Amino acid sequence: MKPIITASEYASESAGPRPPVLLDVRWQLGGPNGRPEYEAGHIPGAVYVDLDAELAGPAGRGGRHPLPDPDEFGAVMRRAGVSRDTPVVVYDGGQGWAAARAWWLLRWTGHPDVRVLDGGLAAWAGDLDTGIPAPAEGDFRPAPGALALLDADGAAALARSGLLLDARAAERYRGDVEPIDRVGGHIPGAVSAPTSENTGDDGRFLAPQALAVRFKELGADRSDDIGVYCGSGVSGAHEVLALAIAGIPAALYAGSWSEWSGDESRPVATGPEPG
């Protein structure tokens, strides 16, 4: 199953006999809640899901966006109309990070058919709706573990034994700036792989072959053990999605740099090299 879907493909499926459940996950790091934008206009039938409140647990020692409680996440998905045997399509404002987080969570908890709308809302050429749908309750019950997940110790080990990709901007990886977390730099041994290089100027993912070349150049051909982290497990999910498009499975370190850097006992590397 392709992990992404084009706007025209979604339009065709939504008019067919088995329309996907559609989730709107518009979100911006440090920005206002996306619900007002959703209420001002969304793809018809879309149900809004709040990343900060519903796709993450409370911030703390586990990072800024730790994984949500599976039972609570399941309740959110059921209210949105998600069932195990119904396909799900997720979109955001176009960056793709939030949609990828929802995609990863649903796949990690066992949903077999989840895709991200490539290019997000900006790719949608149809009309927008302001009505708030009231979907029938779904039956999805999370079963965590369907995708690989790393903790801090696992990420540290993988940086030495396999390939750990840092999906943040290169200047944060190097430690030149750190606008959010306690300290700048990266996990020793991790390789810089900014998420921004997974997409074109239109926000759509590069072709699978181009992504495969990108990740091969980063070392993905040298190891079957690949992991990804970012600032707080959101843009890292986007990189896991990009790797999946290229046919490369990868684990996510969900706590990411916000968890790692919050623990003063963890080592920090700086500069352009893995360290």
Side-chain angles (χ1 to χ4, degrees):
M1 183 191 68
K2 287 196 313 179
I4 56 175
I5 184 173
T6 67
S8 60
E9 288 171 339
Y10 169 73
S12 177
E13 289 191 20
S14 67
R18 193 166 173 254
V21 171
L22 184 63
L23 305 180
D24 182 316
V25 198
R26 273 179 273 183
W27 171 85
Q28 188 174 9
L29 179 63
N33 184 279
R35 180 172 285 278
E37 289 187 343
Y38 164 81
E39 293 177 349
H42 51 265
I43 298 175
V47 176
Y48 179 72
V49 178
D50 186 328
L51 186 148
D52 288 320
E54 298 174 318
L55 301 182
R61 294 181 63 184
R64 282 182 280 109
H65 291 107
L67 298 183
D69 176 88
D71 290 338
E72 294 178 5
F73 172 68
V76 169
M77 292 297 102
R78 290 191 296 275
R79 287 196 299 272
V82 174
S83 291
R84 179 171 178 80
D85 62 353
T86 303
V88 179
V89 172
V90 190
Y91 74 91
D92 58 24
Q95 189 177 38
W97 293 4
R101 169 75 171 211
W103 167 84
W104 188 90
L105 281 169
L106 279 163
R107 292 290 294 115
W108 175 66
T109 53
H111 198 289
D113 190 350
V114 190
R115 289 163 292 173
V116 167
L117 183 64
D118 196 16
L121 183 63
W124 178 252
D127 294 334
L128 298 181
D129 191 9
T130 57
I132 308 300
E137 182 92 358
D139 65 12
F140 177 66
R141 300 285 174 181
L147 295 183
L149 175 67
L150 295 170
D151 60 11
D153 288 340
L158 186 57
R160 297 303 184 188
S161 66
L163 177 66
L164 182 65
L165 300 176
D166 184 318
R168 297 172 301 155
E171 59 268 24
R172 292 184 67 194
Y173 171 89
R174 294 191 301 265
D176 298 346
V177 298
E178 182 43 65
I180 305 170
D181 294 311
R182 184 184 66 84
V183 64
H186 57 270
I187 296 173
V191 173
S192 180
T195 299
S196 59
E197 296 179 20
N198 295 328
T199 57
D201 293 340
D202 59 1
R204 292 177 172 87
F205 282 96
L206 302 180
Q209 298 86 347
L211 288 170
V213 169
R214 162 169 158 73
F215 292 119
K216 181 177 181 179
E217 291 175 347
L218 290 168
D221 62 325
R222 296 198 305 267
S223 173
D224 292 329
D225 296 321
I226 300 169
V228 180
Y229 75 97
C230 58
S232 64
V234 178
S235 66
H238 188 276
E239 190 118 297
V240 173
L241 175 57
L243 283 154
I245 294 169
I248 304 169
L252 176 68
Y253 171 27
S256 286
W257 189 248
S258 59
E259 178 185 44
W260 183 278
S261 65
D263 182 349
E264 296 185 12
S265 71
R266 297 283 178 186
V268 171
T270 57
E273 299 302 323

